[in-house]
Amino acid sequence: MGSTVFKGGIHPDYHKELTATMAVTAMKAPEKVVIPLQQHIGAPCEPLESIEVGTEVKIGQKIAQSSGFVSAPIHASVSGKITAIGPYNHPLGRPVEAITIESDGEEKWDDSIKPAGNPDNLTAEKIREIVREAGIVGLGGATFPAHVKLSPPPEKKIDIVVINGAECEPYLTADHRVMLENPEEIVFGLKMMIKALGAEKGVIGVEDNKPDALKVLEQEVAGEDNITVASLHTKYPQGAEKMLIQVTTGRIVPAGGLPLDVGVVNHNVGTAVAITNAVREGKPLVERVLTVTGSGINRPQNLMVRVGTLVSDVLEHCGGLKEETVKLIIGGPMMGLAQPSPDIPVIKGTSGILALTGEDVYLAESSPCIRCAKCVDHCPVQLLPTSIALASEHEMFKKAEKLHAMDCFECGCCAFVCPSKIPLVQWIRIAKAEIAKANKK
Amino acid sequence: MDKKMIVSSSPHVRSIESVQSVMTDVLIALFPVALMAVLLFGYQALITMVISVVTAMLVEALWLRKKDIFNDGSAAVTGLLFAMVLPPSPPWWLVVVGAAASIIIGKQVFGGIGYNIFNPALVGRAIVLVSWGGYLAGNVWSPPQPFAFGADVSAVTGATALAGQGEALSYSLTQLFIGTVPGCLGETSALALLVGGAWLYYKGHIDWRIPLGYLGTVFVMGVIFGGGFYDNHLMTGLFHVLAGGVMLGALFMATDMVTTPVTPVGRLIFGIGCGLITMLIRIWGALPEGVTYAILLMNAVTPIIDNFTVPKQFGGVKKNA
Ligand code: SF4
Ligand code: SF4
């Protein structure tokens, strides 16, 4: 196990030294939070009936939910008064319905927050329910509701739970810090998942550029007979679901398939901690660890931030942006989303806030493809990015589909290595959107 | 903080590699080859290379109306590669015409870098070969005056190893490896070519499939069909790898990025195809050497190869092109 290396991938400059050694500090609850009703993949939430402008809420109080199964409820992250319900800027681009709460500064937790009892006595069903009620989603950035992954269809037997501690995105160190500071919670969360799924074992995969985290976790699992820690080769995108599962279990997730097709469920380390907090203390997901970093940040650091805190407030807490900043990104530099303005809230899936100055952003124009095949050789999914992009450019979307455009998970390796600086991912995204549209009809 | 940020698609960071840096690496890879050419053939080789490179760069700059004559470096590469497939001291006008033809007919009429189908330097060579073949024929090539920089190489003539079986035997494999044999300016020294090729491989600009596919096929065909005129059949295979333009072709011409397949399997097929055609021409064809036509022919079928060798994606089961 853990001996294989996935094909393709790249070795970008990591820049993790900016924040890797900085312990997580909690940012003071802001005066105002804006909590979007869509923070996960799946059906958006609706405000509860009791929730309207003027309603007083406490921390952890559920304020919105959806009847859909693939969804995660949303909780107040400060105590105070709801001052607005309506569309607000969202990291995904389009404004989304959001609930604005003005803090009363009292930091009162809701009475409903209490432990569910001795964790050893919890049934699988109960664990799933706790996870669901806590509104936990994939904290690595995918934001898929965690309880859904813990509820596979009965015909899919899950035997391995893989915990993702790879953190392969450059700059980000939030998971790294969580591994160093909360190893016990990670392992406990993993055990809860194993129990919920009836799985046999767990593996925690960590890239070998974080030897300290590997050591801490190995000590933590020393007494466990069904949990191991896998040291992974440092290569982007090592933390991508399919690559991670390949190197930790030797199993290949089929194209278009899911990890559960090969008996695996995977979760991020942060998600494991969130599950632990929910099981032990009844705490819903109202805050998360993120990395604020990059050449444009005055005081880079790892922060515990309430969900709904405005990015502008976080930046201010970190000393503001440098004058030369040209790009503001939510997430990492490889897959994160560039933002026109910091007037957006931190959501459950926000793993980092990255500000880059001119020298770190490649701004040159693209030139024609020289067919060097570097994009082909570095694509971890073995696609032909140049051919898909060309097909997309010529609006030959059928051809793009035949070239497996839909298997692209937008890791960005192709565009990273391209000497002609062609925005390959952008072209492929266009093709994917068109193919999806055509297939819906 | 109200300043508008740049919004563009991920990834937000890029490698520092550019077309110019890639082309510069190719020029660096050609340096040992060029140096060896000058050591072997003297100052005239240098003059030939300079005329070719300068012509190619000027013609491209004029065509594109760009002031920066180095630009992305691709014209310099084409010019240098064209010189490599010329005799050491051809008439200067032939170099100028050929280098200009490489750039204009080989590249720009297709739409410039990235759009050309055929290897530009080989297009230039094919054109001068057809028009003024006498200057390129094997029996007027000068034998090298190794390490005699000032010697006038055109005063003496000799046959290349491939011009005939009799001549072939007059060169040892060691001579062929070092390059102290008559031949095109850049093709004789397998040693220098391997050094340059190794650099390209190290920099990640070529992979093993095309060179090994090419050289391997030439070797195997040489062993089986070469007639065993060297010490033994294996040596004959080695002779075919070292003699003539195969080494230059396999490492620098058949690995031209623009005109070769992008798929891994396609690259292997391309290399093997080049080897097969080269040996068909050498052994059964009317010409002594077939590298130029082999590569040009394979260039022509590159789009088809790419189409039929779409790799299976990660976790893919069905294979469809
Ligand atoms: S990396 Fe860029 S230049 Fe090279 S083949 Fe791919 S798209 Fe073309
Ligand atoms: S084609 Fe998609 S999966 Fe492949 S390297 Fe590019 S972004 Fe990544």
Side-chain angles (χ1 to χ4, degrees):
Chain A
M1 275 206 325
S3 58
T4 46
V5 178
F6 71 92
K7 267 199 222 167
I10 55 170
H11 297 282
D13 286 339
Y14 284 98
H15 299 286
K16 299 209 185 231
E17 68 288 347
L18 284 172
T19 51
T21 55
M22 304 173 85
V24 176
T25 52
M27 179 178 157
K28 198 170 149 285
E31 282 164 20
K32 176 181 96 173
V33 291
V34 180
I35 305 179
L37 299 185
Q38 173 102 56
Q39 301 189 36
H40 49 262
I41 291 175
C45 292
E46 300 276 337
L48 298 186
E49 261 172 47
S50 58
I51 297 295
E52 50 193 38
V53 174
T55 311
E56 299 272 351
V57 291
K58 295 199 176 121
I59 304 177
Q61 182 180 337
K62 199 200 283 182
I63 53 176
Q65 65 179 12
S66 155
S67 53
F69 179 67
V70 183
S71 186
I74 284 162
H75 305 79
S77 57
V78 293
S79 61
K81 196 194 284 178
I82 294 179
T83 56
I85 301 178
Y88 204 92
N89 297 337
H90 190 280
L92 288 180
R94 246 169 286 147
V96 163
E97 283 290 303
I99 296 177
T100 304
I101 307 171
E102 240 154 67
S103 168
D104 55 14
E106 292 187 8
E107 292 285 276
K108 282 226 184 71
W109 282 81
D110 194 55
D111 300 336
S112 64
I113 311 299
K114 53 175 181 288
N118 186 346
D120 295 338
N121 303 335
L122 296 177
T123 62
E125 187 50 47
K126 185 71 187 161
I127 295 171
R128 282 197 287 269
E129 192 196 310
I130 293 172
V131 171
R132 179 183 168 141
E133 278 306 304
I136 298 172
V137 302
L139 294 188
T143 69
F144 195 76
H147 69 95
V148 180
K149 281 207 215 168
L150 296 182
S151 319
E155 72 275 12
K156 305 276 184 195
K157 172 82 188 102
I158 304 297
D159 59 344
I160 306 184
V161 179
V162 176
I163 297 293
N164 185 357
E167 197 163 53
C168 59
E169 271 272 8
Y171 287 97
L172 303 188
T173 57
D175 288 350
H176 185 182
R177 290 314 305 180
V178 168
M179 288 188 279
L180 287 177
E181 297 171 32
N182 310 90
E184 194 270 336
E185 287 92 334
I186 292 171
V187 174
F188 182 84
L190 172 54
K191 284 191 208 158
M192 289 297 113
M193 296 183 217
I194 292 175
K195 191 164 179 192
L197 287 160
E200 284 154 27
K201 55 185 179 181
V203 191
I204 307 173
V206 184
E207 274 189 346
D208 57 14
N209 61 353
K210 297 179 264 292
D212 47 353
L214 277 164
K215 203 170 134 210
V216 166
L217 284 167
E218 259 153 24
Q219 279 164 5
E220 195 60 45
V221 302
E224 313 287 340
D225 47 8
N226 64 342
I227 297 179
T228 51
V229 175
S231 166
L232 312 175
H233 183 58
T234 300
K235 178 162 86 165
Y236 178 86
Q238 184 68 80
E241 186 169 273
K242 293 185 177 185
M243 282 77 238
L244 181 72
I245 290 171
Q246 180 191 348
V247 298
T248 50
T249 69
R251 299 178 190 177
I252 302 284
V253 178
L258 293 170
L260 54 85
D261 293 326
V262 292
V264 177
V265 159
N266 68 309
H267 276 291
N268 171 270
V269 285
T271 315
V273 174
I275 289 176
T276 297
N277 292 339
V279 168
R280 282 188 181 155
E281 299 163 44
K283 261 194 187 170
L285 185 62
V286 294
E287 56 185 3
R288 68 155 297 148
V289 177
L290 52 77
T291 306
V292 188
T293 184
S295 46
I297 300 281
N298 275 318
R299 289 202 302 272
Q301 54 197 289
N302 299 299
L303 279 177
M304 177 74 89
V305 176
R306 300 288 166 91
V307 169
T309 307
L310 292 179
V311 168
S312 47
D313 288 341
V314 179
L315 291 174
E316 213 180 285
H317 178 86
C318 298
L321 284 182
K322 287 190 192 153
E323 201 43 44
E324 315 86 79
T325 306
V326 293
K327 233 180 192 185
L328 179 70
I329 297 154
I330 295 296
M334 294 302 296
M335 294 181 75
L337 290 169
Q339 305 293 333
S341 115
D343 187 21
I344 43 166
V346 166
I347 61 171
K348 293 174 182 176
T350 306
S351 52
I353 300 172
L354 180 63
L356 296 177
T357 57
E359 35 193 294
D360 290 322
V361 183
Y362 201 90
L363 300 168
E365 277 174 36
S366 61
S367 54
C369 169
I370 56 168
R371 297 175 43 82
C372 67
K374 286 175 195 280
C375 55
V376 177
D377 291 339
H378 289 88
C379 174
V381 202
Q382 286 94 57
L383 304 181
L384 303 177
T386 172
S387 311
I388 301 173
L390 199 68
S392 174
E393 213 176 326
H394 292 111
E395 303 192 354
M396 292 153 65
F397 300 117
K398 275 266 167 296
K399 172 146 195 230
E401 189 175 7
K402 274 196 185 154
L403 290 167
H404 315 298
M406 294 313 270
D407 287 288
C408 166
F409 68 105
E410 303 175 16
C411 67
C413 291
C414 52
F416 179 88
V417 296
C418 178
S420 294
K421 307 298 166 203
I422 298 169
L424 293 161
V425 179
Q426 194 176 329
W427 286 117
I428 297 171
R429 258 191 215 132
I430 293 171
K432 284 172 70 178
E434 291 292 332
I435 295 166
K437 224 198 280 173
N439 290 349
K440 245 191 208 155
K441 279 187 196 144
Chain B
M1 206 116 102
D2 306 329
K3 189 174 66 170
K4 269 273 172 213
M5 297 289 160
I6 298 170
V7 176
S8 61
S9 174
S10 63
H12 307 288
V13 287
R14 302 294 187 91
S15 71
I16 51 165
E17 208 159 80
S18 64
V19 175
Q20 195 187 51
S21 76
V22 172
M23 293 300 160
T24 307
D25 281 339
V26 177
L27 290 174
I28 293 171
L30 282 168
F31 179 75
V33 185
L35 181 70
M36 201 63 172
V38 175
L39 290 178
L40 291 173
F41 298 106
Y43 72 97
Q44 279 152 318
L46 184 64
I47 293 175
T48 302
M49 289 188 281
V50 170
I51 296 176
S52 186
V53 170
V54 171
T55 306
M57 292 200 298
L58 280 179
V59 167
E60 174 147 308
L62 283 175
W63 184 280
L64 297 175
R65 299 197 172 69
K66 285 217 171 139
K67 285 220 185 67
D68 172 12
I69 71 161
F70 186 71
N71 195 22
D72 60 19
S74 62
V77 168
T78 298
L80 191 52
L81 281 175
F82 176 66
M84 294 295 171
V85 290
L86 290 177
S89 64
W92 65 268
W93 55 265
L94 185 125
V95 185
V96 170
V97 171
S102 295
I103 293 295
I104 295 173
I105 301 173
K107 181 171 158 195
Q108 293 302 344
V109 295
F110 289 96
I113 186 166
Y115 297 105
N116 51 304
I117 295 171
F118 300 103
N119 185 315
L122 292 182
V123 169
R125 176 174 154 99
I127 287 170
V128 295
L129 200 61
V130 169
S131 314
W132 302 281
Y135 293 102
L136 274 69
N139 61 359
V140 294
W141 282 351
S142 327
Q145 304 278 306
F147 317 113
F149 188 74
D152 182 357
V153 288
S154 56
V156 269
T157 64
T160 66
L162 284 168
Q165 199 162 298
E167 271 84 18
L169 291 168
S170 57
Y171 303 107
S172 70
L173 288 183
T174 315
Q175 278 178 304
L176 288 167
F177 183 73
I178 307 279
T180 54
V181 296
C184 287
L185 198 155
E187 75 179 14
T188 63
S189 177
L191 174 64
L193 289 162
L194 284 172
V195 171
W199 165 255
L200 286 182
Y201 183 80
Y202 167 74
K203 294 295 276 183
H205 299 323
I206 61 176
D207 84 337
W208 57 270
R209 291 179 179 83
I210 289 177
L212 285 193
Y214 197 158
L215 297 175
T217 306
V218 166
F219 176 74
V220 170
M221 297 257 307
V223 170
I224 302 175
F225 303 109
F229 60 79
Y230 247 82
D231 296 357
N232 57 48
H233 284 267
L234 282 179
M235 293 297 221
T236 310
L238 214 49
F239 166 82
H240 274 286
V241 169
L242 295 174
V246 162
M247 204 54 114
L248 175 63
L251 290 168
F252 286 94
M253 298 291 187
T255 54
D256 171 54
M257 298 166 173
V258 175
T259 58
T260 55
V262 294
T263 68
V265 175
R267 280 175 250 161
L268 193 58
I269 294 175
F270 185 93
I272 294 172
C274 287
L276 283 176
I277 299 172
T278 300
M279 292 306 278
L280 283 178
I281 295 175
R282 274 191 183 179
I283 298 176
W284 294 286
L287 298 167
E289 179 58 303
V291 172
T292 302
Y293 293 117
I295 296 176
L296 289 174
L297 265 170
M298 291 307 291
N299 286 160
V301 295
T302 288
I304 304 173
I305 297 178
D306 268 342
N307 251 322
F308 283 100
T309 53
V310 175
K312 196 172 65 142
Q313 80 278 40
F314 186 98
V317 272
K318 53 192 193 300
K319 189 163 179 134
N320 47 13

